Amino acid sequence: MPAHHVCSFGDFLQQDHQLILGALTAGNATAGFDGRRSQVSAWQLTLDVLREAVARVLQDADCASWALLFEYEIPLRQKRPDVVVLAHDLVFVLEFKTGAATHSLADQRQVEAYCLDLRDFHAESHSRTIIPVLVACQAGSGAELPPPRPEPVQGVVSAASADLGPLLLAAFAVYHQPAAPPVDPERWNTSAYRPVPTILQAAEALYAGHSVREISRAHAANLTRTADYLLQTIQACAEKHQKRICFVTGIPGAGKTLSGLNLVHAPELSTRGAGTATFLSGNGPLVQIMREALARDERERTGTGLGETRRRVSTFIQNVHHFMRQYTQDSPTEVPYHRVVVFDEAQRAWNAEQAARKFGRADSEPMEMLSVMDRHRDWAIIVALVGGGQEINTGEAGLAEWGRALAASFPHWHVAVSPEALHGGESIAGTALFPDGVPGGLAVDTEPALHLDVSLRSWRAEALTSWVNALLVGDSTRARGLMGQMADFPVAVTRSLAEARGWLRSVTRGDRRCGLIASSRAVRLRAYGLELSSGFTRGYPFCDWWLAPADDVRSSYQLEVPASEFECQGLELDWTGLCWGNDLVWRGGQSWDYRRFSGSRWQSVRDPMARDYLRNTYRVLLTRAREGLIIWVPRGNPDDATIPPHDFDSTVDYLTACGAQLLR
């Protein structure tokens, strides 16, 4: 979106402040923000400070063509830097705190976050040097420039009102490259902005009324194609009185969950009546954390009480096990309220044995879900979102169970399936809907629009999924070759937990989030102060781990408590620190040793399915990062038989053979 007001340095000194205030107030109203007196007073003080700074700059340099952009809105994020200065080839982002006498860490992170978003998602800011400037208007003067950084976004310049002009000149002298092409203010102001939000940020945007088209990258256009196909399918099924199941696949982080959330909140479904669609997930932590994120965001946007916002969002995202209990045990003949259900991570639905053990039901969850939705007399749709190699719990049925249920009892349902799910591609770890071929009597359509092959999570390393797959199958040669395609996605290895924490703190800037993660089976990390027992993790406030700010001791930023695969599946961090346990150990230079801890010693895992679950645990953990990953592998202790050094040494050798950089 364009800034509320744009002018050159030369013109700014000639303009009437009241006219600028009018433009800012009108822009605020158009954007849906308030125009309270306190805001107008803050703008007035900002203009006064700027007038003095611009006059000072023009005294010493030929800078009349530098541009000022007021209140440039960063789409979807409810973020608006106060002022952007385009100084030849440089982009200054200025945030004014008119009543502040100090430069707080929170304010520094705020202006730094603006700059990181511009670097990553604003087309005209790519490859530009971007300088965050925090102006605490009541602070004493005497600030200095921070040391230059070897990256586009520089350190935060902390300025007082009187410092601003001299600091702009000093920064320009340091960072300006005379040979670099100048930034065109008009092009910069109207530049394409294509954010890649986290799933929590995306859910908040969708819940606030935005569309998936607004929050997907241009070259992830298949996300839009998937959304269009699903909406068209719903319309066709309603008109033709059909029942259909659609299987959507994608590499980890490609937007499967996002496409499902977009569907259930699409305004196009409002014409189908209340209760048309709901989003279901068997991932309890994901449901809890996403609900809390939506509730807190709505409270912040609307001022509604947290209890009320929590009640509202509970209908947007439901736990699939609660949904199934309602319609199989509480109301076993009732027609479902929803005609469209989106089942996230559908391959993780319970098989018949686990459904009987957990809930006393006779059939698998795929069979039960199809039976429940089949109660509709005319039309119904199930959208099954399918990930590959993500089954981490005993009793998760896998994709093939859906195929068996369809073939056995629901030949009248139409099936639309991505080519990956039909034939078993890499994105779903080789699994297939019909392992023995498509059964006769089923109407099956192969639809390319149902596959998402561009990672939104790790936009800096689209080869990450393939690298993780190669690592886990023991193909270090292929993994090392793929690492060459991940130059902008660092993967480091360290033997020091302190070094891992230091690395994460050094790379995590602005509002980017970091955290430690580990396998729930890596219980001997307790020797290093990391607790992963179920008794501990069940009682830990992981909503705050994911949502609380950096200064909250419960938050992931503290790097004290690792989240296991159960608390982080389906979610993502910008920077992750994977704490590698000796539950999965590389042995003899040729294969993995799968283990579980029992009593006081490790035992080998021989069951093939249990091995798959453990390997999938590390697949989940290795694919949680958006911007980079550090793997901490302990050195072990020769005096403790449960953490011998050779367990970890061989694993480090293998990780470095796969291309990870060992920090010395």
Side-chain angles (χ1 to χ4, degrees), residues 251 420 425-427 429-430 462-486 586 619 654-660:
I251 63 176
E420 289 272 305
E426 183 177 61
S427 72
E462 293 174 12
L464 178 63
T465 299
S466 297
W467 180 78
V468 170
N469 286 342
L471 183 151
L472 291 176
V473 300
D475 191 345
S476 60
T477 301
R478 180 168 184 257
R480 192 172 192 87
L482 288 164
M483 186 62 74
Q485 303 175 33
M486 298 163 57
W586 186 253
R619 191 190 315 278
Y654 177 67
L655 291 172
T656 55
C658 289

Side-chain angles (χ1 to χ4, degrees), residues 73-151:
E73 184 174 348
I74 297 179
L76 301 178
R77 301 291 302 276
Q78 302 290 304
K79 292 181 176 181
R80 294 179 303 157
D82 291 330
V83 178
V84 173
V85 174
L86 303 179
H88 197 271
D89 57 316
L90 306 180
V91 178
F92 290 92
V93 177
L94 278 57
E95 183 66 18
F96 290 82
K97 300 301 179 182
T98 55
T102 60
H103 301 87
S104 73
L105 179 59
D107 292 340
Q108 292 178 51
R109 293 178 72 92
Q110 178 188 2
V111 68
E112 195 172 48
Y114 294 154
C115 297
L116 294 173
D117 281 348
L118 291 173
R119 176 199 67 186
D120 292 335
F121 311 132
H122 184 260
E124 287 296 314
S125 295
H126 289 334
S127 74
R128 297 291 186 179
T129 297
I130 307 174
I131 303 146
V133 181
L134 175 62
V135 184
C137 293
Q138 307 305 317
S141 60
E144 297 181 357
L145 288 181
R149 287 174 172 263
E151 54 186 294

Side-chain angles (χ1 to χ4, degrees), residues 629-644:
L629 161 71
I630 187 167
I631 304 172
W632 166 59
V633 185
R635 293 190 180 278
N637 183 348
D639 298 323
D640 187 337
T642 66
I643 48 172

Side-chain angles (χ1 to χ4, degrees), residues 9 13 51-64 165-166 169:
F9 267 39
L13 293 183
R51 185 174 293 278
E52 182 179 339
V54 169
R56 176 73 174 79
V57 168
L58 290 176
Q59 285 178 5
D60 292 357
D62 182 15
C63 304
L169 288 169

Side-chain angles (χ1 to χ4, degrees), residues 506-520:
S506 71
V507 297
T508 303
R509 305 175 64 190
D511 63 351
R512 302 306 195 251
R513 196 170 195 96
C514 66
L516 299 179
I517 57 178
S519 164
S520 62

Side-chain angles (χ1 to χ4, degrees), residues 495-562:
R495 309 305 302 273
S496 164
L497 180 56
E499 184 173 41
R501 286 170 167 151
W503 188 91
L504 289 168
R505 292 187 177 111
S506 71
V507 297
T508 303
R509 305 175 64 190
D511 63 351
R512 302 306 195 251
R513 196 170 195 96
C514 66
L516 299 179
I517 57 178
S519 164
S520 62
R521 299 168 178 84
V523 293
R524 288 304 299 142
L525 292 178
R526 178 183 293 171
Y528 299 91
L530 301 180
E531 184 59 65
L532 288 150
S533 66
S534 58
F536 173 80
T537 56
R538 275 198 300 267
Y540 197 79
F542 277 100
C543 281
D544 292 304
W545 193 94
W546 281 102
L547 304 175
D551 59 356
D552 191 314
V553 296
R554 300 164 297 178
S555 77
S556 66
Y557 292 103
Q558 297 296 313
L559 304 178
E560 293 180 350
V561 175

